Amino acid sequence: MNRIKDRIAVITGSARGIGFSIAESFAAEGATVIILDLFKEAVDEAVAKLISQGYKADGFTGNVTKPDDMEAVFNAVVEKHKTVDILVNNAGITKDNLILRMKEEEWDAVIAVNLKGTFICTQKAFKIMMKQRSGSIINIASVIGLMGNAGQANYAATKGGLIAFTKSCAKEFASRNVRVNAVAPGFIQTEMTSSLPAEVVESYAKAIPLGKMGLPEDVAKLCLFFAADDSTYITGQTLAVDGGLTMY
């Protein structure tokens, strides 16, 4: 359908899982997707898979928590592809623990990747987008940022923070025609959830009005909507992809 034909889309943490699904969806709509992740082997594999499907893709490695890494990556993307039209801040980690047992390192690590990493990448991308007076930034939050969860105070804090960050950036960037929105996935079937016992998955499904877990493609479809011209009058919004879990 070519809704984002010839646009350059950087997607962090996209060598696998939801990030790769977003990359695949964007590539199918005509974008050149930039796979950005930590490990070269995983990045090369993801890029090769996309190219084998006839899509346009490139790959870079770097740590989103390191400003120098991201400066080098975004400079390299611009040098090779001329610009950045879309940024998806998808890179994220969990280090779950109850508050009384949570180590400071567990708190700091999650804050660094999920929140600081998003700040760094957004800053680098906006410097490019503001000059061309166009762009779309999509932050992958979570329903945990909306409702909290026992044992995930660090993760919830980052995802709630991303929602507030999204609104602040949307207000700052609007005058340059750069839109910023957030997607909040609920329980999504990924490699991580595939190892869960069937009874655990069933218990999750019972809490969801639609009665099932979502798929990575469900998240990708909403990201595509925010990336494309279908949403040119939408900014500062957070939409949950959760089967109705957090409706109010």
Side-chain angles (χ1 to χ4, degrees):
M1 292 176 65
N2 294 325
R3 277 187 282 175
I4 49 176
K5 182 176 172 57
D6 296 329
R7 295 182 197 177
I8 309 301
V10 175
I11 305 157
T12 70
S14 53
R16 63 189 183 99
I18 290 174
F20 182 77
S21 183
I22 294 168
E24 200 168 33
S25 172
F26 283 12
E29 290 284 348
T32 296
V33 295
I34 309 299
I35 301 293
L36 173 54
D37 219 310
L38 273 174
F39 303 110
K40 187 177 187 305
E41 185 177 342
V43 168
D44 289 347
E45 186 178 331
V47 170
K49 185 175 180 181
L50 291 168
I51 290 174
S52 72
Q53 297 177 68
Y55 298 146
K56 293 177 287 185
D58 199 355
F60 294 86
T61 58
N63 186 331
V64 296
T65 72
K66 306 291 185 185
D68 289 347
D69 274 19
M70 292 304 100
E71 183 76 15
V73 166
F74 279 88
N75 285 345
V77 171
V78 171
E79 184 177 348
K80 190 171 181 180
H81 299 283
K82 308 306 180 189
T83 192
V84 173
D85 300 296
I86 302 159
L87 169 67
V88 182
N89 285 306
N90 170 74
I93 63 170
T94 59
K95 288 189 179 292
D96 299 347
N97 218 334
L98 297 173
I99 282 288
L100 287 177
R101 297 175 183 170
M102 186 173 289
K103 298 180 177 67
E104 190 174 344
E105 311 88 80
E106 293 172 330
W107 176 271
D108 289 346
V110 175
I111 296 290
V113 176
N114 299 8
L115 208 48
K116 181 182 176 183
T118 296
F119 155 69
I120 291 170
C121 292
T122 297
Q123 191 177 62
K124 304 304 180 190
F126 181 61
K127 286 180 181 178
I128 300 162
M129 294 174 177
M130 68 183 290
K131 294 175 183 176
Q132 65 194 25
R133 302 189 73 85
S134 67
S136 176
I137 297 173
I138 303 155
N139 297 323
I140 305 300
S142 169
V143 294
I144 303 304
L146 297 170
M147 58 193 282
N149 198 30
Q152 289 192 303
N154 49 0
Y155 184 76
T158 62
K159 295 304 184 176
L162 276 184
I163 292 168
F165 178 77
T166 296
K167 295 175 182 179
S168 295
C169 289
K171 289 183 177 181
E172 283 192 29
F173 301 172
S175 64
R176 299 304 179 101
N177 194 38
V178 174
R179 299 178 296 107
V180 190
N181 292 289
V183 173
F187 294 115
I188 305 297
Q189 293 179 30
T190 63
E191 292 173 22
M192 290 173 64
T193 61
S194 64
S195 61
L196 292 172
E199 59 270 21
V200 173
V201 174
E202 288 174 14
S203 68
Y204 284 164
K206 287 177 182 176
I208 301 168
L210 285 181
K212 60 181 180 180
M213 295 177 73
L215 300 173
E217 303 91 272
D218 295 319
V219 180
K221 288 173 189 175
L222 182 52
C223 289
L224 178 60
F225 170 73
F226 280 140
D229 292 342
D230 304 304
S231 58
T232 51
Y233 198 54
I234 301 174
T235 194
Q237 301 304 307
T238 298
L239 287 181
V241 186
D242 65 358
L245 181 65
T246 58
M247 71 171 74
Y248 59 88

